[in-house]
Structures are given as structure tokens and as C-alpha cells.
Amino acid sequence: MNGLGLVFDPLLPWIAIALLGVIALALVVFSALRGGAGWWLRLLGLAVLVLALAGPELRREERAGLPSVAFLVVDRSESTELEDRAAQIEAAAERITGQIEALSTPEQPVDLRVVEVLPDPEGGGGTELLGALDDAAAEIAPDQIAGAVLLSDGQVHDADLLETFPAPVHTLLAGDPDGFDLKLELNAAPAFGIVGESVTFGLTARALGARPADLGGTVLVEVSVDGGAPRPIPLPLGDAVELEIAIEHGGPNVVDIRLPGHPEELTERNNRILAEVNGVRDRLRVLLVSGEPHPGGRTWRDILKADPAVDLIHFTILRPPGKQDGTPVSELSLITFPTRELFLEKIDGFDLIVFDRYRWRGILHSAFLTNIAKYVREGGAVLVASGPAFAGAQSLSRTPLIEVMPARPSLDVIERPFKPRVTDLGQRHPVTAGLEQAAGLTEGVPNWGRWMRHIPVEPVSGHIVMSGAEDLPLLILDRVGEGRVALLASDHAWLWTRGHEGGGPQADLLRRTAHWLMREPELEEEALVARVEGTRVLLERRSLAETPPEAALAMPPTGPERRELAFRPAGPGRWQAVLEGAEEGLWRFRSGDFEAVAAVGPPSPKEYDNPLASAEPLAPLVAASAGRSGWLADGVPDIRLVAEGRRAFSRRWLGLETRDAYQVMGVELMPLLPAWLAALLASLLFVAAWRREGR
């Protein structure tokens, strides 16, 4: 296969050659106007010289023909598993492959490239059919492409990737053109919600395709939180509605909204919404009651005021009502301490009550303290940071509050330096875990400063997480009824804030203690927590037990089979188990008395946004490339070769264009006007013009 052509190899730039040609033409015109008889011979001579400067050459190419390339794109995404689409596509692919291979001849070779589009491993990207075709076509020269046949259900999610194609694109669709499906669409979902309040979900229930006769205008959806009992709620089809869901606890709240399936719909994969709403406490209210001024009197105030989630009310009781010390009335506060309002009428509005070096001097009536004890049992929280008064006659231990206190004071006060230590149990408790390691250890002793006072107490309940002088309890955490209590048997935590002997993690310790009392989910010492990372579920068990907890039972979204997950140590008081390759849906986990749920993957992947088979997404590309769309249910059309530029389809066949693509194997150049020949011809023409004019 050879090719001939005329090419130029100019001796000068083209602009210079053009300028010389213009000058030559002007001279010839001037000669003709002056009446020169040989002007046309001079014109021919100058034309030969200008042509010689252009360097005309005869180009002879040795060519090797290239085959026309046809693409067969086979859609094997998840949506093709619906109905009998996969079988239709498989049968069509086999037949079309055989037809295209039969079209290939030595004179007109056709190379078939089969491109398979597999399911998205992430489950959320949809079908990228045209991206696969574009990647395959990028390896082939455009003038070599004969066309493409797409076997799909038409639901592709990159339809705007290709606006045109260098050859006809035909689409053969699998599935039923008159399919039907129900879909639950999430319009809006909050990421956070306030505990005790409701969040708003925006939902739309849609009927896609041909509606069955028994489908009314309203459907029932079932709503549950954290795998609880479902609550039926009616939704009108096609209308956007707002659904109120209560957030009952802090941390992740898994909301499951399910639309029961219809017997005639294609799939229930898009009938469910799983969303995780993180429950947060809105403006935690803390009441801080200081009993007397002391060097660390602002410690608790500074820590609580620095927390943006805390609303703090702080009272310092400097003078009991019966004290007569001659202070002028003008210098006394005119506001009566609102004991009844705070400790009786509105006590339930507080998340935590802190007594910092409080002395019982009659300001708080015993009835109020009895109400505080009741407040704790019903879910409240109290923290007592004790000073020397805790061991004396004005101690809170001599009030009705002793009923909920985790320890009883002795009559002694230790006034000598000691280093607070985290107990073995405290190493496993989230409030004190890692404090010593963060401060650093020297020969097993933490690198933090000493405290100077310790109030000895005898524990009666709770967990001793820190010890002080003579290994006596320093920090005790306890649960009483539905509430919580903490006792700090020293008033010298402020020494760490001042940097005494290097200071210490006072802010971390007190902040964790306060938030544990206010039920921060991350500080729960006994918990089972599930975290999702793609198709991997990380299960964490927190416990104060020294022995590993029993294996977790994993219950999948579908099927009766259950898996046992063995826990492995992940740190003091922490064990972890991993579930690999979890299927999409709501998983339930149980370990002992603790349960957790996890929403794995998108329950309604992009692949099922619209599971109906449709020609609409690919119609613009098919029209722009002069191709045709058809349904496999009507049969597989024949494949033919057509000349480039001719119509490429009919009702019974689809056409692939024959291409005359080739590869140049060698090139031979032959000058058409060598310099010697150009000089000879120009000389002869100029001599002829001179002789003619000389006559």
C-alpha cells in the first residue's frame, strides 16, 4: 500500500518567498506596460526561480493498513442484577462479539475491544460507563475507531462526560421499558442534634415508572433510632415532608427510615435511609457554690468558663446570715441568696452542682440538701472538692447529702507534700487514663508537682481512680441511682495550675471529671462503641474489668447467620475487634449487657437512585454520534460495516464505519525542480525574452 503526494521544502521563509514573488510580478507588469515584447517569457523565468525557492518535492509513502477498531462496552454494575438484565446483556454480548469477529477480513480487518464496567467497590460512585469507553478510546487514533456498542440498562452516572464520539455509538438496553419502583429520597439531614430535642429530616417518597393499580397516594414509612421499635408514619407520594425525630442521648444516634416494599417494584435498595446524628448537650448548666475564699478559688470557675458548652452560675458564700460583725449595710449585698429557687424549684435545670470548699453554716437548709440528694438519684450530678472543713463540724458529710456521698471523712487532715497517683483502676478509667503517661514518668513516678493537703476519707462505694498521701483515696467516682457523684479529697489542685514544681494536668483532670459527671459519651467507663470505616467496622469495648470481655456477637442486616468477634487488648481498659467486609445496612453488636449499632455504607447507593431501565441518560451522545438506541427485549440487531459518512443504522441492523487508517512504514522524497534544472530553465527563458525584445 503506497501513497503519493506533493510537498514543499522551502529554501527561504515563506514570507520572503512571497515578497520576492510580489517584486518579480511588479517588474513584469512594469515591463509589460512599457511595451516589452518578451514580458511573458520573463514572467515564466521569474516563476521558475520562485518555484525553485519553494522546493517542490514528490513524497512517496510506504503504508501499512491498520484495522478498524470497534468497542463493545458491557455494563456489569449492580443495577444490571435486577430483573433478567444480566442474562440479556450476557446473551447480547456473546452474539455481537461473534458478529463483529465474522466481519473482519484480511482486506478490511476489524479489531474488537471489549470493555467491562464492573460494580463500584465503594458502592457510592454509580456506573461510570462513558468514562470506561473514553479511557479505552484514548489508546486508539480517532481515524481508526469504527464505532461502539453499549450494552447497559441505561442508568449511567457520567453521561455528561462525552458530548460526541468520532464514530457511531449505539445503545442496546436491557430490562423492562415499563418497570416500576418506589424510592425514599433524603432531602435534608442534620449532622448534629441537641439531646432532649428533635431534629428535622426532609423526605420525599416517590413512585417511579408505571404505577400499579393498587398503589394509593400515601405510603407508610417506619422510623427507628438505634435499632429500636419502628414507628409508622404516613407520607404522601411525591410531596416533600419534614419528619421530626427525637435525639435521646449524646454521641451517635443511628436513624433508620424504611419504606416497606411493593410486590411489583424492582428493588428495595432505595427504600431505606440510614443517617447518623451526633447528639450534643446544649449549653450544659453548672452551678458552682464556693464556701470560702482560698488561693485556688478561681480554679473551677476558670475551667468551666473556658468551656464554650457550659453556662456557669457561680456563688461564693462569704457571710452567713446570722453573723454580726459590724459591717456597714451599705457594703453588704442587697440580693438575698436564692437558695429556694436554685436548690428546690429549678434544681432540675442544672446538669452539675459543684461544692468547692463549702462549709455548712445554715445557709442551705437541710431540706434543700435532701432535695439535692434526691436530684442525684434521679439523674443529677454533684462534685465535692473538699477542704479542711470536710473533716470538721461543718462538713457536708454531716448533712443529708451524705446519703449519696461515696466516702466518709475521718477527723484528720494531712498537711504534708505528696504526689497524686493514678490507681490501677484509674489507669483503665477514661477520666484518669493516660494522665501519668502524658506527663512522663521517671522511675515509675509521674513528672508533676506535689500537693500539700489531703483529707483522709473512708470509701463506702464507687471507684477510686486516684490516691494521695499514704495511698489514701484522693478522687472517687460513683454512680448513685440514675445520677453521679465525684469526691476530690483535697483543695490543692490549683497548685498544678500555678506551675508549682512543674505543675501538672490539672485542667485535663478536672475537665474530664466534670464531663464524666455530665455523661460525656467518650468518657463512659463501660461502653460498646462501633465505628465504620468503609466496609470495615471497628468495635471498641471499654471496661474497668481486668479480664477481657466476652466476645462480641455481630448480627448482620440480612440473613440468620451471626458472627463472633474476639476482642484484643488496645490499651488499659480498652479492647477492640474488627469486622472486615461488612455488607451494607444496619449492623447490631452485643457484648454482655451492652449493645451498639453501625450503619455500613450507603443503604441507597447512587446505583439505585433510579433503577428503571431508560434510554434517556445516553440519548444525547447517541444522537450526536449518529447512532441508535434499542431494547434487547426486541431482539439483538445485526452488525454491519458501512462506508464512512453513510447512515449507520436501521430498524434491523447497526453499522460500524470502515476506516482507511494506515501506518507509514517509509518515506521517499524526489525533488521536482532541482537547482541546476531551475537555473537552466530560467536562463533559457531570460535569453529567449532578450532575443525577442532585441528584434
Side-chain angles (χ1 to χ4, degrees), residues 328-394:
V329 176
S330 60
E331 297 180 13
L332 294 177
S333 172
L334 300 181
I335 301 175
T336 304
F337 187 63
T339 52
R340 180 179 183 84
E341 181 181 4
L342 292 177
F343 297 107
L344 193 62
E345 297 176 359
K346 296 185 177 180
I347 189 172
D348 292 335
F350 293 105
D351 298 287
L352 172 63
I353 299 175
V354 180
F355 290 100
D356 179 28
R357 286 189 59 161
Y358 178 77
R359 293 174 179 267
W360 187 46
R361 296 185 288 187
I363 294 179
L364 291 184
H365 193 274
S366 60
F368 297 150
L369 294 171
T370 300
N371 196 50
I372 294 175
K374 178 185 176 184
Y375 153 80
V376 171
R377 294 191 192 94
E378 294 178 352
V382 166
L383 186 149
V384 177
S386 59
F390 193 68
Q394 296 177 327

Side-chain angles (χ1 to χ4, degrees), residues 303 430-432 435 438 504-514 523:
I303 289 176
V431 170
T432 49
L435 287 180
Q506 174 257 358
D508 287 339
L509 173 62
L510 301 186
R511 187 179 296 110
R512 288 188 196 178
T513 302
L523 294 172

Side-chain angles (χ1 to χ4, degrees), residues 70 72 95-104 110 112 149 639 656:
L72 177 62
R95 179 173 177 180
I96 292 174
T97 298
Q99 291 186 28
I100 294 177
E101 290 177 349
L103 292 175
S104 181
V110 179
L112 175 63
V149 179
I639 305 297
L656 300 174

Side-chain angles (χ1 to χ4, degrees), residues 415-477:
E415 299 273 4
R416 62 173 177 270
F418 69 92
K419 273 202 174 185
R421 295 299 307 271
V422 177
T423 63
D424 291 340
L425 181 65
Q427 298 287 357
R428 302 190 294 274
H429 200 291
V431 170
T432 49
L435 287 180
E436 291 188 345
Q437 290 72 17
L441 297 171
T442 302
E443 298 181 356
V445 179
N447 298 326
W448 55 43
R450 295 177 295 173
W451 294 2
M452 300 301 172
R453 181 186 295 140
H454 187 177
I455 314 302
V457 294
E458 297 178 4
V460 294
S461 62
H463 299 126
I464 303 171
V465 296
M466 292 190 74
S467 61
E470 302 176 8
D471 290 331
L472 294 172
L474 179 62
L475 177 60
I476 305 176
L477 307 177

Side-chain angles (χ1 to χ4, degrees), residues 183-185 202-206 216-223 232-243 257-259:
K183 174 187 175 183
L184 193 58
E185 190 175 279
L203 299 175
T204 304
R206 299 190 184 278
T218 302
V219 293
L220 284 178
V221 296
E222 298 175 348
V223 181
I233 297 176
L235 289 185
L237 279 173
D239 294 341
V241 298
E242 292 185 346
L243 186 63
I257 307 174
R258 184 194 298 269
L259 173 62

Side-chain angles (χ1 to χ4, degrees), residues 184-186 201-203 255-258 271-275 603:
L184 193 58
E185 190 175 279
L186 182 63
F201 279 73
L203 299 175
V255 179
D256 185 3
I257 307 174
R258 184 194 298 269
N271 291 23
R272 190 177 189 182
I273 291 172
L274 286 174

